[in-house]
Amino acid sequence: MYNRVTDAIISELSQIVGAENTLVRPDAMEPYTHDHVTGLRADPEVVVKVRSAAEVAEIFRLAQREKISVTPRGAGYGLSGGAVPVMGGIVLSLERMTRILEIDRENLMVTVEPGVITGDLHRAVEALGLFYPPDPASLDSCTIGGNIAEGAGGPRAVKYGVTADYVCGLEAVLPSGQTISCGGKLVKNVTGYNLAQLLTGSEGTLAIVTKIILRLVPLPKHRIDLFVPYADFESAARTVSAIIAQGIVPTAMEFMEQDSLMAVERLLGRELPFRTAAAFLLFQLDGNHPEALQAEFETVGDLCLQHQAQDVLVAKDTTTRDRLWESRRKIIDALTNESPINHMEDVVVPRSQIPALLKGIHQIAANRQVRIISFGHAGDGNVHVNVLKDDLPTGDWERLVPQVAESIYRLTLSLGGMITGEHGIGVTRRPYLILALGEAQVDVMRRIKSAFDPNNILNPGKIFP
Amino acid sequence: MYNRVTDAIISELSQIVGAENTLVRPDAMEPYTHDHVTGLRADPEVVVKVRSAAEVAEIFRLAQREKISVTPRGAGYGLSGGAVPVMGGIVLSLERMTRILEIDRENLMVTVEPGVITGDLHRAVEALGLFYPPDPASLDSCTIGGNIAEGAGGPRAVKYGVTADYVCGLEAVLPSGQTISCGGKLVKNVTGYNLAQLLTGSEGTLAIVTKIILRLVPLPKHRIDLFVPYADFESAARTVSAIIAQGIVPTAMEFMEQDSLMAVERLLGRELPFRTAAAFLLFQLDGNHPEALQAEFETVGDLCLQHQAQDVLVAKDTTTRDRLWESRRKIIDALTNESPINHMEDVVVPRSQIPALLKGIHQIAANRQVRIISFGHAGDGNVHVNVLKDDLPTGDWERLVPQVAESIYRLTLSLGGMITGEHGIGVTRRPYLILALGEAQVDVMRRIKSAFDPNNILNPGKIFP
């Protein structure tokens, strides 16, 4: 289907990006064979590290001429295989495009290259009293370009929204080699179809983004965090509803169940407070006016206690805050510590359906006799569901995973949800796209893909079944 | 290119929607010949008023079979000709689909049919302490479906964003007659391409939306409005920058120049306060905590005075508020009163470029010897530029308008702006789409259009040059 990358092509590529940015040795290419999906690997034939839109355009023209696939890559922290070169060919890495081009304080806009690490962007704008809220868990490793490709979210989505809500302008190179500029430093713009929003979350299948304009908001001056244990999850869920009903939208509302806390305890090798609680909520509140924030905090605290919280632990400084969030932050490491092989789903349901989702997942775990640990975003309905291999034989595991995944998807869809909230379809969820969206909608998406990439050279083998 | 609507087709249509919802008499069809663009009219061959997605699907299948164009229509309050049937054929009106299907307080989501009047939605959710912020000027007449089609904005976009920022789910009928359901009551969702965002602002050219899920926010409990006159526009613009630099994002920041106020005076037949001021800012602030809001208000007031405001008029109750906003609300009527024939542009620039934009527009007015009155959204850079015919002979006017429009567009684009912020391309701005976006981007948009509507039966003659 695709041609092989020949020595002549490698030589041409190294003329475009420089020999030092053209990798062909297997050991040098190893980091580019995978992202953060357990067990998914594919070898590129060549890796090129570009420095500009012009280089991307030249590579596309070469790839079109030679019929070779191009897989774009940020930092490789994706969780659905979007950056894995499943058809071989060229991996096009944006890792050298790391410049923050401009922080425009007057217009509250920042212009960046795609390879900027999300956490670096946070720090750069916060130093000026500005705020870029999206905060995916891998923020100190992942790139803004990857966040755009995947439509990344994070805990602060409850109050502040996701990556897409901040994208105002994109420069992108089409698979044809043409460069387009969509939007700008504009919060209002209806000039033609909204391609900036279409490209966001398109998993690098429509174009390669080479410049990004994001809106910023003023950095909130004050913050309070709460850690709240409960004897049952239903009380925690009722607290969340009661807070929303009071007209309060916290910055973040995260949840864990006891099995998450136990796994973190085993990772850390020490007991954590409230280890006998069944469920935990973590809140973050922020604001500019200390008394307004204090009033909001008191209302939230009261509502927690009215809904049978066992206690309300509060942090107003960094040290206490880090302690409160420790267990939530360590969950992924703890799961790997429990079972090096595990499978993570990323379903999303209307917030009010989280209790029904968790109940159904407990049932699936019981029926399939497998350990499933869930945690996630109580405020926005996005739940990370982790199936652990533990000591299951490999063959059984490989049969089990798709069955469990499909059960979880059917449950999610029956609750008005969708099969991925912030991780993407990528390679791993392709077989289920039609189950989620129906044939007609997937057909339209295929035609959109063809509108951008008629020869299917850009990131093939992703999204579509 | 398209076939004529025959008696047999009219009979078939009236079987689908009922004879009483099938209009063919010219007087009955007259309201459907135009929207709110001055001087743009076209006759439909038949008007059908649908009641369901199933009826829309049947009409599409008939239109495909017979090769007849279909022009969807909300309330006809558009400002770019999107609902005008420039190719004749069928006008498909959504005006009977007026049900608010559900207000889900727990998930902060509302589900509506497209024909719901935006102001009715505001009142329905506000009665429950909830808030749907987008507030286009025609909100008591226009429909949510029309707002989705055009990507409508409004003054509150500064703090709360535009229609697109609230769209979480759409049911839409494709020109093929297939119905798709995109998104849901979900604030996070990356399951395939973001079709809900692509359809929003697509001006009814890709699909007909038949059900809409919008997110809501808690209704702010308190509000303060300020009316602030200045001796020059530059001081007003510096005030806006200073407020943003203080970390304050008001709900709305509107501006007028003196010529707007004078026009309103002539409409009302009485003098307005501060009539000698050169420029005016109108602020709206809101919040839940009275002291926090008061502190914000005091900071804004101080900044106004520090930047040479002539006064700061304040409203904390409805009566005073209505008086403060009177001149801003009456501008459109006042312009029609000045000159029944006029031409409105809707450009948008980065907020900091408004002074340069206005200066350039004054220059264009002087060069072309035409009266141009501008007003709009100081907070988001969206400026409504009104060219008045006054007593210019019709032939001269018709030659002048495209020349002035193109000058305004070139100026706007040179400032990093776009040619329409919230009114759309429609019929009137089609010749300038390539100027704004470039050939390559418009080509991609054409291919997206074909992906949805290969036979070009849905709303032809819009957007594309």
Side-chain angles (χ1 to χ4, degrees):
Chain A
M1 190 173 174
Y2 297 94
N3 290 325
R4 301 287 301 169
V5 176
T6 62
D7 287 350
I9 291 169
I10 289 168
S11 154
E12 205 174 329
L13 286 168
S14 64
Q15 274 162 35
I16 297 169
V17 299
E20 69 282 16
N21 298 310
T22 310
L23 311 181
V24 288
R25 279 178 32 213
D27 60 335
M29 294 201 297
E30 195 286 331
Y32 301 87
T33 60
H34 62 88
D35 63 2
H36 271 56
V37 175
T38 324
L40 178 69
R41 305 185 86 86
D43 289 322
E45 296 168 65
V46 58
V47 175
V48 290
K49 303 183 190 178
V50 298
R51 196 67 198 80
S52 68
E55 289 181 4
V56 175
E58 273 198 81
I59 291 165
F60 268 138
R61 285 191 285 266
L62 185 156
Q64 291 284 4
R65 192 189 76 208
E66 302 288 343
K67 195 141 180 50
I68 290 169
S69 71
V70 176
T71 301
R73 183 183 180 93
Y77 272 76
L79 288 164
S80 53
V84 179
V86 290
M87 302 292 183
I90 300 165
V91 164
L92 188 154
S93 169
L94 286 307
E95 73 198 88
R96 294 173 63 227
M97 296 186 69
T98 57
R99 287 183 299 168
I100 295 177
L101 297 169
E102 184 198 35
I103 301 174
D104 179 344
R105 301 168 76 166
E106 205 164 3
N107 291 304
L108 297 183
M109 294 277 172
V110 61
T111 306
V112 298
E113 291 185 333
V116 171
I117 302 293
T118 306
D120 290 344
L121 174 64
H122 283 171
R123 283 179 286 275
V125 302
E126 287 173 21
L128 301 175
L130 301 173
F131 190 35
Y132 175 69
D135 58 342
S138 57
L139 63 90
D140 280 319
S141 311
C142 64
T143 65
I144 292 290
N147 295 172
I148 301 278
E150 299 300 325
R156 295 196 289 233
V158 187
K159 179 169 176 178
Y160 288 104
V162 295
T163 304
D165 296 309
Y166 292 82
V167 177
C168 292
L170 293 179
E171 175 191 84
V173 186
L174 302 175
S176 63
Q178 293 167 300
T179 300
I180 63 172
S181 174
C182 315
K185 291 184 189 174
L186 306 170
V187 290
K188 271 183 182 173
N189 173 29
V190 291
T191 308
Y193 300 146
N194 196 339
L195 297 192
Q197 286 299 316
L198 178 60
L199 293 181
T200 304
S202 67
E203 307 189 17
T205 63
L206 299 179
I208 292 182
V209 170
T210 48
K211 194 155 72 183
I212 299 153
I213 300 174
L214 300 164
R215 74 182 177 90
L216 303 170
V217 294
L219 182 67
K221 294 185 178 71
H222 306 283
R223 175 175 158 187
I224 300 179
D225 295 65
L226 293 81
F227 179 86
V228 188
Y230 288 87
D232 59 283
F233 186 81
E234 289 64 30
S235 299
R238 278 194 295 270
T239 306
V240 169
S241 298
I243 290 168
I244 296 286
Q246 281 287 313
I248 295 173
V249 178
T251 307
M253 293 195 272
E254 299 284 296
F255 80 91
M256 296 184 294
E257 293 186 282
Q258 188 182 29
D259 48 8
S260 293
L261 197 83
M262 291 291 120
V264 175
E265 277 199 352
R266 284 186 289 269
L267 175 75
L268 300 177
R270 59 181 163 84
E271 285 196 2
L272 290 169
F274 295 98
R275 57 197 306 273
T276 60
F280 305 85
L281 290 179
L282 264 160
F283 295 97
Q284 192 179 116
L285 303 168
D286 67 18
N288 286 322
H289 192 269
E291 286 159 43
L293 183 61
Q294 181 67 22
E296 208 171 69
F297 151 67
E298 283 169 14
T299 305
V300 169
D302 288 350
L303 288 169
C304 289
L305 294 171
Q306 280 168 33
H307 290 83
Q308 286 73 53
Q310 297 178 334
D311 203 341
V312 176
L313 308 186
V314 185
K316 296 187 181 183
D317 63 82
T318 314
T319 319
T320 324
R321 185 180 295 157
D322 285 348
R323 215 178 56 236
L324 292 195
W325 281 81
E326 180 179 31
S327 48
R328 172 67 182 82
R329 288 225 178 84
K330 295 280 185 197
I331 292 178
I332 297 274
D333 290 346
L335 292 173
T336 310
N337 184 55
E338 295 286 296
S339 168
I341 298 182
N342 59 62
H343 174 86
M344 193 197 293
E345 290 298 342
D346 168 52
V347 296
V348 59
V349 292
R351 182 172 44 226
S352 67
Q353 297 287 12
I354 292 183
L357 178 72
L358 291 182
K359 198 173 157 198
I361 287 170
H362 294 162
Q363 194 60 55
I364 291 168
N367 291 349
R368 302 283 183 177
Q369 296 187 286
V370 65
R371 197 150 63 115
I372 302 184
I373 296 181
S374 303
F375 65 92
H377 312 295
D380 58 36
N382 184 206
V383 178
H384 301 310
V385 183
N386 299 272
V387 190
L388 276 64
K389 178 172 177 293
D390 290 336
D391 52 6
L392 213 65
T394 302
D396 292 358
W397 170 250
E398 285 170 359
R399 267 189 303 280
L400 183 77
V401 166
Q403 293 169 357
V404 171
E406 186 167 335
S407 302
I408 294 169
Y409 293 152
R410 289 190 184 277
L411 168 66
T412 302
L413 294 167
S414 77
L415 298 170
M418 272 290 150
I419 65 174
T420 174
E422 54 185 19
H423 294 173
I425 298 294
V427 177
T428 53
R429 298 184 182 91
R430 291 166 68 201
Y432 307 101
L433 191 68
I434 292 174
L435 178 71
L437 302 179
E439 291 272 6
Q441 190 167 176
V442 174
D443 282 348
V444 171
M445 291 181 183
R446 280 186 202 278
R447 292 196 297 270
I448 292 170
K449 166 68 174 167
S450 292
F452 281 82
D453 184 21
N455 301 321
N456 198 29
I457 64 155
L458 178 57
N459 214 359
K462 309 297 161 67
I463 299 183
F464 297 103
Chain B
M1 192 174 171
Y2 296 95
N3 290 325
R4 302 285 303 169
V5 176
T6 62
D7 287 350
I9 291 169
I10 289 167
S11 154
E12 205 172 329
L13 286 168
S14 65
Q15 274 162 35
I16 296 170
V17 298
E20 68 284 15
N21 298 310
T22 310
L23 311 181
V24 288
R25 280 177 32 212
D27 59 336
M29 294 201 297
E30 195 286 331
Y32 301 87
T33 60
H34 62 89
D35 63 2
H36 271 56
V37 175
T38 325
L40 178 70
R41 303 185 86 87
D43 290 321
E45 297 169 65
V46 59
V47 175
V48 291
K49 303 183 190 177
V50 298
R51 197 65 198 84
S52 68
E55 289 180 4
V56 175
E58 272 198 82
I59 292 165
F60 268 137
R61 284 189 286 266
L62 184 156
Q64 291 283 7
R65 190 189 76 209
E66 302 289 344
K67 194 141 181 51
I68 291 170
S69 71
V70 177
T71 302
R73 182 183 181 92
Y77 272 75
L79 288 164
S80 53
V84 179
V86 290
M87 302 291 183
I90 300 166
V91 164
L92 188 154
S93 170
L94 285 307
E95 72 198 89
R96 294 173 63 227
M97 296 185 70
T98 57
R99 287 183 299 168
I100 296 176
L101 297 169
E102 183 198 34
I103 301 174
D104 179 343
R105 301 168 75 167
E106 206 164 1
N107 291 305
L108 296 184
M109 294 277 172
V110 61
T111 306
V112 298
E113 291 184 333
V116 172
I117 302 292
T118 307
D120 290 344
L121 174 63
H122 284 171
R123 285 179 285 275
V125 303
E126 286 173 22
L128 301 174
L130 301 173
F131 190 35
Y132 174 69
D135 58 342
S138 57
L139 63 89
D140 279 320
S141 310
C142 65
T143 65
I144 290 291
N147 295 173
I148 301 277
E150 299 300 326
R156 294 196 289 233
V158 187
K159 178 168 175 177
Y160 289 104
V162 296
T163 303
D165 297 309
Y166 292 83
V167 177
C168 292
L170 293 178
E171 175 190 84
V173 186
L174 302 175
S176 63
Q178 293 168 301
T179 300
I180 63 172
S181 174
C182 314
K185 292 184 189 173
L186 306 170
V187 290
K188 270 183 183 173
N189 173 28
V190 291
T191 308
Y193 299 147
N194 196 338
L195 297 191
Q197 286 299 315
L198 179 61
L199 293 180
T200 303
S202 67
E203 306 189 17
T205 63
L206 298 180
I208 292 181
V209 170
T210 48
K211 195 156 70 181
I212 298 153
I213 299 174
L214 300 163
R215 72 181 178 90
L216 303 171
V217 295
L219 182 67
K221 294 185 177 73
H222 307 283
R223 175 177 156 185
I224 300 179
D225 296 64
L226 292 82
F227 179 85
V228 189
Y230 288 88
D232 59 281
F233 185 81
E234 289 65 30
S235 298
R238 277 194 295 271
T239 307
V240 170
S241 297
I243 291 168
I244 297 287
Q246 282 288 313
I248 295 174
V249 179
T251 307
M253 292 195 273
E254 299 284 294
F255 80 92
M256 296 184 295
E257 293 187 281
Q258 190 182 28
D259 49 7
S260 293
L261 197 82
M262 293 291 121
V264 175
E265 277 198 353
R266 286 187 288 270
L267 175 75
L268 300 177
R270 59 180 164 84
E271 286 194 2
L272 290 169
F274 296 97
R275 56 198 307 272
T276 60
F280 304 86
L281 290 179
L282 266 159
F283 295 97
Q284 193 179 115
L285 303 168
D286 67 17
N288 286 322
H289 191 270
E291 287 158 44
L293 183 60
Q294 181 67 23
E296 208 170 67
F297 151 67
E298 284 168 14
T299 305
V300 170
D302 288 349
L303 288 169
C304 290
L305 295 172
Q306 280 168 34
H307 289 84
Q308 285 75 50
Q310 296 178 332
D311 203 342
V312 176
L313 308 186
V314 184
K316 296 188 182 183
D317 63 81
T318 313
T319 318
T320 325
R321 185 179 293 158
D322 286 347
R323 216 178 55 236
L324 292 195
W325 281 81
E326 182 180 29
S327 47
R328 172 66 181 83
R329 286 227 179 84
K330 295 281 185 197
I331 292 179
I332 297 274
D333 290 346
L335 293 172
T336 310
N337 184 54
E338 295 286 297
S339 169
I341 298 182
N342 58 62
H343 174 86
M344 193 196 291
E345 289 299 341
D346 167 52
V347 296
V348 59
V349 291
R351 182 171 46 226
S352 66
Q353 297 288 12
I354 292 183
L357 179 72
L358 291 183
K359 198 175 157 197
I361 287 170
H362 294 162
Q363 194 60 55
I364 291 168
N367 291 348
R368 302 282 183 179
Q369 295 187 286
V370 66
R371 198 149 63 114
I372 303 183
I373 295 182
S374 303
F375 64 92
H377 311 294
D380 59 35
N382 184 205
V383 178
H384 301 311
V385 183
N386 300 273
V387 189
L388 276 64
K389 178 172 177 294
D390 290 334
D391 51 7
L392 211 66
T394 303
D396 292 358
W397 170 250
E398 284 172 0
R399 266 188 304 279
L400 184 78
V401 165
Q403 290 169 359
V404 171
E406 187 168 334
S407 301
I408 294 168
Y409 294 153
R410 287 189 187 276
L411 168 66
T412 303
L413 295 167
S414 76
L415 298 170
M418 272 290 149
I419 65 174
T420 174
E422 55 186 17
H423 294 173
I425 298 295
V427 177
T428 53
R429 297 184 182 90
R430 291 166 68 201
Y432 307 101
L433 191 68
I434 292 174
L435 179 70
L437 301 179
E439 290 273 6
Q441 190 168 176
V442 175
D443 282 350
V444 170
M445 291 181 184
R446 281 187 202 278
R447 292 197 297 271
I448 291 171
K449 166 69 173 166
S450 292
F452 282 82
D453 184 21
N455 302 321
N456 198 28
I457 63 156
L458 178 57
N459 213 359
K462 309 297 162 67
I463 299 183
F464 297 103

